[in-house]
Each structure stands twice: as structure tokens, then as C-alpha cells.
Amino acid sequence: MDINKRTILWIVFAVSLVILWNNWQVSTGRPSMFAPAPAQTAKAPEAKKSDLPAASATAATGAAALPGAGATAAAEPFKSERITVTTDVFRVDIDTLGGTIKRLELLKFKDGVDPTKNQVLFDVDGATGKTYLAETGLVGAPGLPNHQTGFVAKPGPRMLNDANQVQLVLEAEQGGVKLTKTFTFKRGDYVIDVRHDVANVGTVPVKPELYMQLIHDGNKPAGDSYFNSSYTGPTMYTEAEHYKKMKFETLEKEAQESIKTGKPAVQDHPTKADNGWVAISQHFFVSALVPQDKLKRDIFTKKVDNNQYAIGTIQPLGTLAPGATVSNEAKLYSGPQESKLLEKVTPGLELVKDYGWLTIIAKPIFWVMDHIHQVLGNWGWTIIAFTILIKLAFFPLSAAGYRSMAKVKLVTPKMQAIRERYKGDPAKMNQATMELYKTEKINPLGGCLPILVQMPVFIALYWVLQASVEIRGAPWIGWITNLAAPDPWYILPVLYAISMYITTKLNPAPADPMQAKMMLFMPLAFSVMFFFFPSGLVLYWVVNNVLSIGQQYVISKKFAPPAAA
């Protein structure tokens, strides 16, 4: 069989890129290119917060029946204020109406769209439709303090200054229950400790339940483009079910289905546990609520308003006799998806750093790169050093492939003669070609094997560069100021095209002139695709190609003298 190795190589490369593109599409919430388009259904009326049921949170459905934002909890108008707490990593605005976190600014990370501003996670912006909140409160009996109740802030410092921590204490009394929220901010820590002290100040027993929820709009973050996208939506973890992602579109469909049927939607995630966490994940960042461990909870997801969705938990606090008090300790992590930070917060939280379907390869890759970076201190040089290590690891395999291609190049005149001799009989041509391969001890697929083996590394490295906030904004040299973003001047894609052109010229030329022209055109086509890939990934391939060219040249020269003789 007359098998052209370069054609196979390009086919493998192209198919791998298609698979990479498809998995990237699926991971970012878009439909698979291999799946049929979903059927379109008539849109049901939007659910309003006032339409939500008022049943107890411990109903059989397990869904949260929480107060809507449209209701008025206080008997008299409450004049709320925003209290700003500043640490070395945060600037946080907490509204005394409900004790809700309304804005959270990360002081050590720049905005992905406007580098003159800091990255903002929690925020409410009516102009853009952004809604991102952290709310807590009590349910289980009428009139208990919730995220619509007016709280009073106790005096205290609002900036970290020289201290190691700063606290904000909010108090509210309603329905015979006093709720005290204590937010503790610590130096250098993206974890906010959230304590709820619940006291029965009435004359009858009460059975309160503590809810904590994250509210987010259904939009992608600003600057999230088609070529630089990632998953944004609710995520959760339990020891039994492990890590799970959900889409805002799924919550919307569940809400519409619930309206149509008049029954609670069946939720495709764990609804009960005594461990784990719930979160809102986005590109490079995450906000995760970690409830008190070993305390039973209901887990819920739902639509709360037009284009607003919630994920949260409800924990029963037991029956409180008059004068009794109970405390609940929880944590809110809101910050970067840095592996070392996430692992310290709670088990499983590091999984929000999503490496896609090649996590088993991507994690070791990042581990190696992280250790190299600790020595070199620059992620660009780290990628180059990592590429050299990969090249050394695959050296024997690559050398075998290049030797096979060099042998093919030596016997090209013989192959051309066979084609001329049997051009009217394809069967005899293929048979003679295979006999030539056997005589010369040539593996016709030898040149493709190194590419096949390295392709999973290429795809895994793509996810490492796509998901690692450690590389976000990391410069290399000169014009490369962000290795996680495309090359702004397209220099690396052009260098990649040149290196691929040289590689193609070093390979045996196809007998078909049209095929030969296509082989020379392919580097240009792939370099255009690399215009949209992270510059760190293109840097990897440029260095890999340069090393391959050197290796291939040396091996070709080694086989050249016998051919001349």
C-alpha cells in the first residue's frame, strides 16, 4: 500500500485539533459539533421571585424556598449603607440590608479587559446586567432574619492596617430570633470566615435553618470571547458524587419545566450531604461557599429572577428553646483558581481548575512546570525548558521517526520509478512499494508515531495554559506580556509557519505535485489558527519545531553519505 507519511501526519494533526476544538466548545457550555442541535421549544413565561413557593426548605423536593428580593421584610423603611472592608487582597462592600456581599474587588489581579482596573467578582451593575452576590439568612419560621432584613453594624476597624485580621459584625433581631453575622478577613487570605450566631430571644421554641447562596446572572464575564472562553456557572462537590458542573441554561430549562408542570424540577445533582461545597466558577476565578462540615444540608440550584440563578445550601440548626443560642461556622473563598490556595481551603476545591478531559496528563504537566518556574521565575522560559524536557523524553521515539523519514527520502527515486513503471496498475504499484519498504526496513508510519504520542501532551498543555491563573498576565520577553493570551503582534504564529515550512522541506517530497503544494500550504493554514491560541502554547510549538528541525537535519545528514556512494 502506497502510504504517504506526511499526509497521515497532517490528518492526525488536523483531527486532533478538531477534537481539541470540540472539547473546548463543550467545556465552555456550547453544544458539541458532533451532537444534533437541540429541538427548539416555545418559551414559557418568566418566573418571578414573588411566584416562588413559601414552603419550608425541608420540603420533600429539597429545593430552597427563600425570600424573594421583591418582598419587604421590615415593618418600616430601612436605610441601608454599604460598609467597605479593605485588606491586602480584598476590597469588599457589604450591604447592611441583609448583610449581603455586594461587591468584591481583588487587589492583586488586574481586569482582563481593562488592565488599569482591578478584577471584580461580586458586583451589581444594572447597565450591564451583571449580578453576582453572596447572601445568607434564616428560614424555617415566619419573619426570621434573612437577606432582606435590616442589620446594624457594630463599631470596629474597616481596614487591615497593621493587624492580621479585621472583623465586621452585623446584628438583626426579628421574629423572636437574633441573628449575628461575623465576617472575618485575614491578611493574605482569600477565605472569608462567616459565622452565624442564632439566639432565641422569644418565648417559644424555634427551629431555624441557615441558608447560604450565591446569585449570578446567566452571562459570560466581560472579555470572554469566542476564541478565549471557558466554563462559567455553578459547580459543587460532595464526597459521594465528587465534582459536578451545571449550566445556567439547564437551570433555565428546569424553571420553565416547573412552571409548565406545576411541580418542582428534578435536579441532576446531589441534593443532600453533610460535606462538600458549592460555588460559581468562571475563567481563572471562583467563589465557593464551604458550609460547616459534618452537618446535614440540602443543596439546591434554581432560577431566582430573569437571567439570575442561585446555588446554595440549607442547614437545619436544631430546635432552640427560649434563651438558647447556636453557632455555625462557614467559609467563603473568593479569589484565583491557584492550585496551592484551593487545596488548603477544603477537599475537592482544586477541581474547579478545570483541565478538561486530559486532567490525568495536565496535572503532572503543571506540577513539573510549577517546579521549573520556582527556579527560573519566568513562565516563558519555563515553557521553553519544559519543551526541552519533553523533547528529551521523546528523543528515542522522535529519532526513530526521523530515521524512518530519512530512509524514505533516500529511496524516493526508487519509489518514483515504481510509480512510473506501474502507473496503470495501482495494485502492483502498492505491492512493489510495500516490498521496497520491507527490503529497506522502512516503517511507513514511523514518521507519524512521534506526533501521535505528543498530541495528548499538546492538548493537555493547551488546557494548562487556558486554565492556570498563575500564567494569566505572566510576561515572557518584549511584546509577550501575557502568555495566556494570543500573541498581539502575531510574531510567534509566523515563526511557527516558518518552522513548519522548513520541516516540510526536510521531509521527502510527495510524488504528486498538487499534494506537494498542499503540504507547503498547510503550515500557513495552521499558523492562522494559532493566531487565536495562547501565546504560551504557540511558544511551545515553535521551540518544539526548532528542536525537531535540528534533530531531523542531523539524522538526514547521517544518512546522506551512503546515498551519495
Coordinates of all heavy atoms in Angstrom, one line a residue, residues 361-407:
I361 N -3.2 14.0 32.5 CA -1.9 14.4 31.9 C -1.6 15.8 32.3 O -0.4 16.2 32.6 CB -1.9 14.2 30.4 CG1 -2.1 12.8 30.0 CG2 -0.6 14.7 29.8 CD1 -2.2 12.5 28.5
A362 N -2.6 16.7 32.3 CA -2.4 18.1 32.5 C -1.9 18.4 33.9 O -1.1 19.3 34.1 CB -3.7 18.9 32.3
K363 N -2.4 17.7 34.9 CA -1.9 17.9 36.3 C -0.4 17.7 36.5 O 0.3 18.5 37.0 CB -2.8 17.1 37.3 CG -4.1 17.7 37.7 CD -4.6 17.0 38.9 CE -5.8 17.8 39.5 NZ -6.4 17.2 40.7
P364 N 0.1 16.5 36.0 CA 1.5 16.4 36.1 C 2.3 17.4 35.3 O 3.4 17.8 35.7 CB 1.8 15.0 35.6 CG 0.5 14.3 35.7 CD -0.6 15.3 35.6
I365 N 1.8 17.8 34.2 CA 2.4 18.8 33.4 C 2.6 20.1 34.2 O 3.7 20.7 34.2 CB 1.7 19.1 32.0 CG1 1.9 18.0 31.1 CG2 2.1 20.4 31.4 CD1 1.1 18.1 29.8
F366 N 1.5 20.6 34.8 CA 1.6 21.8 35.6 C 2.5 21.6 36.8 O 3.2 22.6 37.1 CB 0.2 22.2 36.0 CG 0.2 23.5 36.8 CD1 0.3 24.7 36.2 CD2 0.1 23.5 38.2 CE1 0.3 25.9 36.9 CE2 0.2 24.7 38.9 CZ 0.3 25.9 38.3
W367 N 2.5 20.5 37.4 CA 3.3 20.2 38.6 C 4.8 20.4 38.2 O 5.6 21.0 38.9 CB 3.1 18.8 39.1 CG 3.9 18.5 40.3 CD1 3.5 18.7 41.6 CD2 5.2 17.8 40.4 NE1 4.5 18.3 42.5 CE2 5.5 17.7 41.8 CE3 6.0 17.3 39.4 CZ2 6.7 17.2 42.2 CZ3 7.2 16.8 39.8 CH2 7.6 16.7 41.2
V368 N 5.2 19.8 37.0 CA 6.5 19.9 36.5 C 6.9 21.4 36.2 O 7.9 21.9 36.6 CB 6.8 19.0 35.3 CG1 8.1 19.3 34.7 CG2 6.7 17.6 35.7
M369 N 5.9 22.0 35.5 CA 6.2 23.4 35.1 C 6.3 24.3 36.3 O 7.1 25.3 36.3 CB 5.0 23.9 34.2 CG 5.0 23.2 32.8 SD 3.7 23.8 31.7 CE 4.1 25.5 31.5
D370 N 5.5 24.1 37.3 CA 5.5 24.9 38.5 C 6.8 24.8 39.2 O 7.4 25.8 39.7 CB 4.4 24.5 39.5 CG 4.2 25.4 40.7 OD1 4.3 26.6 40.5 OD2 4.1 24.8 41.8
H371 N 7.4 23.6 39.3 CA 8.7 23.4 39.9 C 9.8 24.1 39.1 O 10.8 24.6 39.6 CB 9.0 21.9 40.1 CG 8.3 21.3 41.3 ND1 7.0 21.1 41.3 CD2 8.8 21.0 42.5 CE1 6.6 20.6 42.5 NE2 7.7 20.5 43.2
I372 N 9.7 24.0 37.7 CA 10.7 24.7 36.9 C 10.6 26.2 37.1 O 11.6 26.9 37.2 CB 10.4 24.4 35.4 CG1 10.7 22.9 35.2 CG2 11.3 25.2 34.5 CD1 10.3 22.4 33.8
H373 N 9.3 26.7 37.2 CA 9.1 28.1 37.4 C 9.7 28.6 38.7 O 10.2 29.8 38.8 CB 7.6 28.5 37.4 CG 7.3 29.9 37.6 ND1 6.8 30.4 38.8 CD2 7.4 31.0 36.7 CE1 6.7 31.7 38.6 NE2 7.0 32.1 37.4
Q374 N 9.7 27.8 39.7 CA 10.3 28.2 41.0 C 11.8 28.5 40.9 O 12.3 29.2 41.7 CB 10.0 27.1 42.1 CG 8.5 27.0 42.5 CD 8.3 25.8 43.4 OE1 9.2 25.3 44.1 NE2 7.1 25.4 43.5
V375 N 12.4 27.8 39.9 CA 13.8 28.0 39.7 C 14.1 29.2 38.7 O 14.9 30.1 39.0 CB 14.5 26.7 39.1 CG1 15.9 27.0 38.8 CG2 14.3 25.6 40.1
L376 N 13.3 29.2 37.6 CA 13.6 30.2 36.6 C 12.9 31.6 36.8 O 13.4 32.6 36.4 CB 13.1 29.7 35.2 CG 13.8 28.4 34.8 CD1 13.3 28.0 33.4 CD2 15.3 28.6 34.7
G377 N 11.7 31.5 37.5 CA 11.0 32.8 37.8 C 10.3 33.4 36.7 O 9.8 34.6 36.8
N378 N 10.2 32.8 35.5 CA 9.6 33.4 34.3 C 8.9 32.3 33.6 O 9.5 31.2 33.2 CB 10.6 34.0 33.4 CG 10.0 34.7 32.2 OD1 9.5 34.0 31.2 ND2 9.9 36.0 32.1
W379 N 7.6 32.5 33.3 CA 6.8 31.4 32.7 C 7.1 31.1 31.3 O 7.0 30.0 30.8 CB 5.3 31.7 32.9 CG 4.7 31.4 34.3 CD1 4.4 32.3 35.2 CD2 4.5 30.1 34.8 NE1 4.0 31.6 36.4 CE2 4.0 30.3 36.1 CE3 4.7 28.8 34.3 CZ2 3.7 29.2 36.9 CZ3 4.3 27.7 35.1 CH2 3.9 27.9 36.4
G380 N 7.6 32.2 30.6 CA 8.0 31.9 29.2 C 9.2 31.0 29.1 O 9.2 30.0 28.3
W381 N 10.2 31.3 29.9 CA 11.4 30.4 29.9 C 11.0 29.1 30.5 O 11.7 28.0 30.2 CB 12.5 31.1 30.7 CG 13.0 32.4 30.1 CD1 13.0 33.6 30.7 CD2 13.7 32.5 28.8 NE1 13.5 34.5 29.8 CE2 13.9 33.9 28.7 CE3 14.0 31.6 27.8 CZ2 14.5 34.4 27.5 CZ3 14.6 32.1 26.7 CH2 14.9 33.5 26.5
T382 N 10.1 29.0 31.4 CA 9.6 27.8 32.0 C 9.0 26.9 30.8 O 9.3 25.7 30.8 CB 8.5 28.0 33.0 OG1 9.1 28.7 34.1 CG2 7.9 26.7 33.5
I383 N 8.2 27.5 30.0 CA 7.6 26.7 28.8 C 8.7 26.2 27.9 O 8.7 25.1 27.5 CB 6.7 27.6 28.1 CG1 5.4 27.9 28.9 CG2 6.2 27.0 26.8 CD1 4.5 28.9 28.3
I384 N 9.8 27.0 27.7 CA 10.9 26.6 26.8 C 11.6 25.4 27.5 O 11.9 24.4 26.8 CB 11.8 27.8 26.6 CG1 11.1 28.8 25.7 CG2 13.1 27.3 25.9 CD1 11.9 30.1 25.5
A385 N 11.9 25.6 28.8 CA 12.6 24.5 29.5 C 11.8 23.2 29.5 O 12.3 22.1 29.3 CB 12.9 24.9 30.9
F386 N 10.5 23.4 29.7 CA 9.6 22.2 29.7 C 9.6 21.6 28.3 O 9.5 20.3 28.2 CB 8.2 22.7 30.1 CG 7.1 21.6 30.0 CD1 7.0 20.6 31.0 CD2 6.3 21.5 28.9 CE1 6.1 19.6 30.9 CE2 5.3 20.5 28.8 CZ 5.3 19.5 29.8
T387 N 9.6 22.4 27.3 CA 9.6 21.8 25.9 C 10.9 21.0 25.7 O 10.8 19.9 25.1 CB 9.5 23.0 24.9 OG1 8.4 23.8 25.2 CG2 9.4 22.4 23.5
I388 N 12.0 21.5 26.2 CA 13.2 20.7 26.0 C 13.2 19.4 26.8 O 13.6 18.4 26.3 CB 14.4 21.6 26.5 CG1 14.6 22.8 25.6 CG2 15.7 20.8 26.6 CD1 15.6 23.8 26.2
L389 N 12.6 19.4 28.0 CA 12.4 18.2 28.7 C 11.5 17.2 28.0 O 11.8 16.0 27.9 CB 11.8 18.5 30.1 CG 12.7 19.2 31.1 CD1 11.9 19.4 32.4 CD2 13.9 18.3 31.4
I390 N 10.4 17.7 27.4 CA 9.5 16.8 26.7 C 10.3 16.2 25.4 O 10.2 15.1 25.1 CB 8.3 17.6 26.2 CG1 7.4 17.9 27.4 CG2 7.5 16.8 25.2 CD1 6.8 16.7 28.1
K391 N 11.1 17.1 24.8 CA 11.8 16.6 23.6 C 12.8 15.6 24.0 O 13.0 14.6 23.3 CB 12.5 17.8 23.0 CG 12.9 17.6 21.5 CD 11.7 17.4 20.7 CE 12.0 17.2 19.2 NZ 10.8 16.9 18.4
L392 N 13.5 15.7 25.2 CA 14.4 14.7 25.6 C 13.7 13.4 26.0 O 14.2 12.3 25.7 CB 15.2 15.3 26.8 CG 16.2 16.4 26.6 CD1 16.8 16.9 27.9 CD2 17.3 15.9 25.7
A393 N 12.5 13.6 26.6 CA 11.8 12.4 26.9 C 11.4 11.6 25.7 O 11.4 10.3 25.7 CB 10.6 12.8 27.8
F394 N 11.0 12.3 24.6 CA 10.6 11.6 23.4 C 11.7 11.5 22.4 O 11.4 11.1 21.3 CB 9.4 12.4 22.8 CG 8.1 12.4 23.5 CD1 7.4 13.5 23.7 CD2 7.7 11.2 24.1 CE1 6.2 13.5 24.4 CE2 6.5 11.1 24.8 CZ 5.8 12.3 25.0
F395 N 12.9 11.7 22.8 CA 14.1 11.7 21.9 C 14.2 10.4 21.1 O 14.3 10.3 19.9 CB 15.4 12.1 22.6 CG 16.5 12.1 21.6 CD1 16.8 13.2 20.9 CD2 17.4 11.0 21.5 CE1 17.9 13.3 20.0 CE2 18.5 11.0 20.6 CZ 18.7 12.2 19.9
P396 N 14.2 9.2 21.8 CA 14.4 8.0 21.1 C 13.3 7.7 20.1 O 13.5 7.3 19.0 CB 14.3 6.9 22.2 CG 14.7 7.7 23.5 CD 14.1 9.0 23.3
L397 N 12.0 8.1 20.5 CA 10.9 7.9 19.6 C 11.0 8.8 18.4 O 10.8 8.4 17.2 CB 9.6 8.1 20.3 CG 8.3 7.7 19.6 CD1 8.3 6.3 19.3 CD2 7.1 8.1 20.4
S398 N 11.4 10.1 18.6 CA 11.5 11.0 17.5 C 12.6 10.6 16.6 O 12.5 10.7 15.4 CB 11.7 12.4 18.1 OG 10.7 12.9 18.9
A399 N 13.7 10.2 17.2 CA 14.9 9.8 16.4 C 14.5 8.7 15.5 O 14.9 8.6 14.3 CB 16.1 9.4 17.3
A400 N 13.8 7.7 16.0 CA 13.4 6.6 15.2 C 12.5 7.0 14.0 O 12.6 6.6 12.9 CB 12.6 5.5 16.0
G401 N 11.6 8.0 14.3 CA 10.7 8.5 13.3 C 11.5 9.3 12.2 O 11.2 9.1 11.0
Y402 N 12.5 10.1 12.6 CA 13.3 10.8 11.7 C 14.1 9.9 10.8 O 14.4 10.2 9.6 CB 14.1 11.9 12.4 CG 13.3 13.0 13.0 CD1 13.6 13.5 14.2 CD2 12.2 13.5 12.3 CE1 12.8 14.5 14.8 CE2 11.4 14.5 12.8 CZ 11.7 15.0 14.1 OH 10.9 16.0 14.6
R403 N 14.7 8.8 11.5 CA 15.4 7.9 10.7 C 14.6 7.2 9.6 O 15.0 7.0 8.5 CB 16.0 6.8 11.6 CG 17.3 7.3 12.4 CD 18.0 6.1 13.0 NE 17.2 5.4 14.0 CZ 17.2 5.7 15.3 NH1 18.0 6.7 15.8 NH2 16.4 5.1 16.1
S404 N 13.3 6.9 10.0 CA 12.4 6.3 9.0 C 12.2 7.3 7.8 O 12.2 6.9 6.7 CB 11.1 6.0 9.7 OG 10.2 5.4 8.8
M405 N 12.0 8.6 8.2 CA 11.7 9.6 7.1 C 13.0 9.8 6.2 O 12.9 10.0 5.0 CB 11.2 10.9 7.7 CG 9.8 10.8 8.2 SD 9.2 12.5 8.6 CE 10.0 12.8 10.1
A406 N 14.2 9.7 6.9 CA 15.4 9.9 6.1 C 15.6 8.7 5.2 O 16.0 8.9 4.0 CB 16.6 10.0 7.1
K407 N 15.2 7.5 5.6 CA 15.3 6.4 4.7 C 14.4 6.5 3.5 O 14.7 6.2 2.4 CB 15.0 5.1 5.5 CG 16.1 4.7 6.5 CD 15.8 3.4 7.2 CE 16.8 3.0 8.2 NZ 16.5 1.8 8.9

